[in-house]
Amino acid sequence: MTQTYNLLILPGDGIGPEVMGQVVRVIDWFRDNRGLDFRVEQDLVGGAAYDAHGKPLSDETMARAQAADAVLLGAVGGPKYDVLDFSVKPERGLLRLRKEMDLFANLRPAQCFDALADFSSLKPEIVAGLDILIVRELTSGVYFGEPRGIHADDNNPENEGGRVGINTQRYTSGEIRRVARSAFELARRRGNKVCSMEKANVMESGILWREEVQWVHDNEYPDVELSHMYADNGAMQLVRNPRQFDVIVTDNLFGDILSDAAAMLTGSLGMLPSASLGAVMANGRPKALYEPVHGSAPDIAGQGKANPIACILSFAMALRYSFDQGQAADDLEAAVQRVLAKGVRTADLMGPEGGTPVSTAGMGDEILAELSAGA
Ligand code: IPM
Ligand code: MG
């Protein structure tokens, strides 16, 4: 019996719709050429949803996301929305999806494509062949901890300005254990090494983090090599010698920062996909949302300049992690590699050595042609 794959596509804002347009073509290719039965629905998120409904994610869209086998998201945000109240900013739509779908494990691979090693701000010999995976906890920590807010700082006459801003870093042992398990499972399928990062030298939540990751290791994954690092040292090691890492597991805020640093090691943010995974559902698939690491890039939106590769590789992650179509994912990734090796370049990838310049859709054409050639 053919399986049906229900996808909800949320293109979002800025370059989101353009890059997602190329993903839709790739999905159609797999339907037509590999008989994969994708059913695709589209909806609004972020500023686009705010413009339509006054909220960055409607309850109807949230319900459709919960019902989908996987959600593909483009990007959210733009200067037009900077003036909005915090509670309806485009980012709140994304954070609501992560929280309500309970997508606790955010996988951010940072892989350096051979053809692009010169693009890194580091020397090519330091980044060539780089392949690390950051597993960022995504549904807890300081992003969601209570209490939070901005309050009048009553009874403190010495506080010039009279206000206090509060956020709370809070982790339960269960939250740490489940994301640690994801990291160890993924490490077993790669280099079998996990480095856990926190600030156990200054934060109690960091001490708990370290102890719980060690507990999961000792009790369930003693075969995987585990090390611990303070997150500031981790940031330094990432730019000093990034290839020492295989899988890095860390909390929500450190993961946000460290994954941007790791992304830049590879030279172009326009290349990096991500997957956010939750608990496995009754049908055996995890709750899942896939999105490029890059943002909405409002400065180039609507001009056909955006690089669709990060979004296309995010769909490859969906093939692998949601639909168990590892071969299809490999084929799609290989097609992207071949296009880059041929020197085909969107504007963000155009270096001094030149190349064949293409638009967003032109990159889509090339990737589809390589898929067909390899099929
Ligand atoms: C990310 C982004 C988001 C985050 C923003 C857009 C809320 O920076 O996905 O890394 O901070 O998590
Ligand atoms: Mg970020």
Side-chain angles (χ1 to χ4, degrees):
M1 197 183 83
T2 321
Q3 295 213 37
T4 304
Y5 303 133
N6 294 300
L7 286 170
L8 176 65
I9 292 191
L10 303 173
D13 306 322
I15 60 171
E18 292 162 66
V19 295
M20 197 60 87
Q22 303 312 308
V23 175
V24 169
R25 298 175 68 198
V26 171
I27 294 170
D28 290 342
W29 189 93
F30 278 99
R31 190 191 295 107
D32 296 343
N33 295 277
R34 297 284 175 86
L36 300 182
D37 186 18
F38 290 111
R39 311 270 165 97
V40 178
E41 290 184 37
Q42 292 222 17
D43 212 331
L44 303 173
V45 70
Y50 178 83
D51 290 340
H53 311 297
K55 298 181 193 176
L57 187 78
S58 72
D59 294 343
E60 293 72 33
T61 311
M62 188 66 239
R64 289 170 96 180
Q66 294 283 18
D69 292 320
V71 178
L72 304 182
L73 187 139
V76 296
K80 175 178 162 198
Y81 306 106
D82 285 350
V83 296
L84 294 183
D85 186 72
F86 185 72
S87 64
V88 289
K89 280 209 195 295
E91 291 78 5
R92 302 312 300 174
L94 177 56
L95 292 169
R96 181 177 177 196
L97 283 165
R98 290 175 179 174
K99 187 70 181 168
E100 292 192 20
M101 292 171 75
D102 202 16
L103 304 171
F104 60 86
N106 180 215
L107 282 47
R108 297 190 165 187
Q111 229 182 323
C112 187
F113 290 83
D114 288 345
L116 300 179
D118 286 332
F119 275 83
S120 176
S121 46
L122 299 191
K123 299 189 195 85
E125 62 268 27
I126 295 195
V127 294
L130 180 74
D131 180 10
I132 59 189
L133 176 64
I134 297 192
V135 180
R136 166 188 175 192
E137 199 291 326
L138 201 60
T139 51
S140 185
V142 77
Y143 272 58
F144 298 98
E146 300 282 346
R148 64 188 295 162
I150 301 177
H151 305 294
D153 192 16
D154 297 330
N155 310 321
N156 184 3
E158 270 150 46
N159 174 7
E160 183 192 347
R163 297 192 300 165
V164 58
I166 299 170
N167 288 94
T168 303
Q169 167 81 332
R170 180 179 190 278
Y171 270 105
T172 65
S173 44
E175 286 168 342
I176 299 166
R177 287 185 187 190
R178 66 180 183 174
V179 74
R181 283 189 186 103
S182 302
F184 287 122
E185 287 291 337
L186 290 158
R188 276 183 178 163
R189 296 198 243 154
R190 304 168 35 99
N192 212 38
K193 256 173 37 176
V194 172
C195 181
S196 170
M197 296 188 186
E198 29 54 19
K199 283 284 288 177
N201 50 347
V202 283
M203 297 163 79
E204 283 79 358
S205 59
I207 296 175
L208 186 73
W209 183 280
R210 187 174 282 222
E211 289 177 358
E212 294 299 341
V213 172
Q214 189 68 50
W215 186 92
V216 172
H217 172 269
D218 295 350
N219 287 280
E220 300 173 20
Y221 299 90
D223 53 299
V224 180
E225 188 185 318
L226 172 65
S227 59
H228 302 275
M229 221 178 246
Y230 298 140
D232 53 343
N233 182 29
M236 190 266 277
Q237 295 296 335
L238 266 176
V239 290
R240 193 184 73 87
N241 174 20
R243 280 184 309 209
Q244 70 186 284
F245 298 113
D246 176 28
V247 174
I248 293 172
V249 64
T250 189
D251 77 13
N252 204 342
L253 183 60
F254 294 141
D256 180 45
I257 298 166
L258 294 170
S259 65
D260 262 25
M264 205 55 219
L265 296 176
T266 69
S268 173
L269 219 44
M271 301 293 300
L272 297 177
S274 79
S276 302
L277 307 178
V280 175
M281 300 181 284
N283 63 7
R285 294 176 187 153
K287 286 245 179 218
L289 179 143
Y290 300 87
E291 60 179 313
V293 169
H294 64 66
S296 58
D299 51 320
I300 57 162
Q303 301 170 34
K305 287 186 185 164
N307 180 355
I309 291 180
C311 205
I312 289 173
L313 292 177
S314 299
F315 175 64
M317 291 187 89
L319 288 168
R320 178 167 287 120
Y321 294 110
S322 281
F323 306 130
D324 211 15
Q325 293 287 339
Q327 186 60 53
D330 287 348
D331 292 346
L332 180 51
E333 287 164 358
V336 169
Q337 297 262 20
R338 291 199 300 274
V339 168
L340 292 172
K342 274 176 25 188
V344 173
R345 301 280 185 264
T346 42
D348 57 308
L349 303 178
M350 196 56 88
E353 92 286 14
T356 313
V358 288
S359 65
T360 308
M363 183 59 93
D365 294 341
E366 294 281 343
I367 292 171
L368 292 175
E370 278 301 332
L371 269 174
S372 295

